[in-house]
Amino acid sequence: MPRYWQIAPMSGGSVGSAGIDVSDGNVQYDDSDTAYKIFGGYNFGIIPLINLAVEGSYVDFGKAVGNVSGNSAETSVTGWDLFGLVGVNLGPFSLFGKVGAIRWDGESSYLAQSGDDSGTDPAYGVGLQFQISSFAIRAEYELFTLDKVDIGFVSAGVSYTF
């Protein structure tokens, strides 16, 4: 008889592009930069077609550089996130959605002033995965809505399930 209930640890990494939209009073600009994340978590196999997982990662969104009224402005954001994932298996392909939160740290500078900010905010995402044995290739879009910064992160990566 097949054993449907199983817990499998997994880890991986992704690289992509983060679109960073900064809006802080009169200072508004957007830019994109190369971003990456390193993740790990657990897959819970409950029934054959549905995947449930918990996944956490460290993510570096890079740096947004803008020009505000002729002056240079910069913002960089990193963080730790935690997501719950629900996926549907379609053979070697699977579609998944994710909901969670990010604990982020940001640094910004404008007009010879610099500042740090941090917080915890919601995060969402969708993705597609192609799995062969224990290895998977995945593409994702994640949305992070922070206090004064919105980030859309498009990435491609690999994962390994133990």
Side-chain angles (χ1 to χ4, degrees):
M1 173 171 252
R3 190 176 131 210
Y4 293 118
W5 177 256
Q6 60 181 351
I7 299 174
M10 53 81 73
S11 64
S14 297
V15 174
S17 178
I20 304 170
D21 184 10
V22 178
S23 180
D24 184 8
N26 293 330
V27 178
Q28 296 181 357
Y29 60 96
D30 59 73
D31 193 16
S32 61
D33 198 6
T34 301
Y36 70 91
K37 69 177 179 174
I38 300 168
F39 58 88
Y42 290 93
N43 291 323
F44 303 97
I46 296 176
I47 57 176
L49 296 177
I50 304 295
N51 265 346
L52 298 176
V54 174
E55 182 177 290
S57 64
Y58 171 79
V59 61
D60 184 333
F61 295 111
K63 183 185 294 187
V65 178
N67 186 338
V68 179
S69 301
N71 298 298
S72 179
E74 293 183 357
T75 299
S76 62
V77 179
T78 61
W80 293 91
D81 59 36
L82 183 63
F83 286 100
L85 283 76
V86 175
V88 177
N89 292 328
L90 307 168
F93 289 96
S94 64
L95 300 170
F96 60 89
K98 55 199 284 187
V99 172
I102 182 168
R103 174 72 181 143
W104 56 271
D105 292 306
E107 295 179 4
S108 59
S109 64
Y110 177 64
L111 293 176
Q113 297 178 353
S114 62
D116 297 335
D117 197 7
S118 62
T120 302
D121 288 294
Y124 314 92
V126 293
L128 173 68
Q129 180 170 285
F130 176 73
Q131 183 145 0
I132 299 174
S133 185
S134 293
F135 292 96
I137 299 170
R138 57 197 261 175
E140 295 180 77
Y141 175 75
E142 296 168 296
L143 180 61
F144 301 87
T145 306
L146 313 181
D147 287 341
K148 300 170 186 168
V149 179
D150 292 334
I151 301 172
F153 181 31
V154 176
S155 66
V158 296
S159 67
Y160 179 77
T161 302
F162 299 92

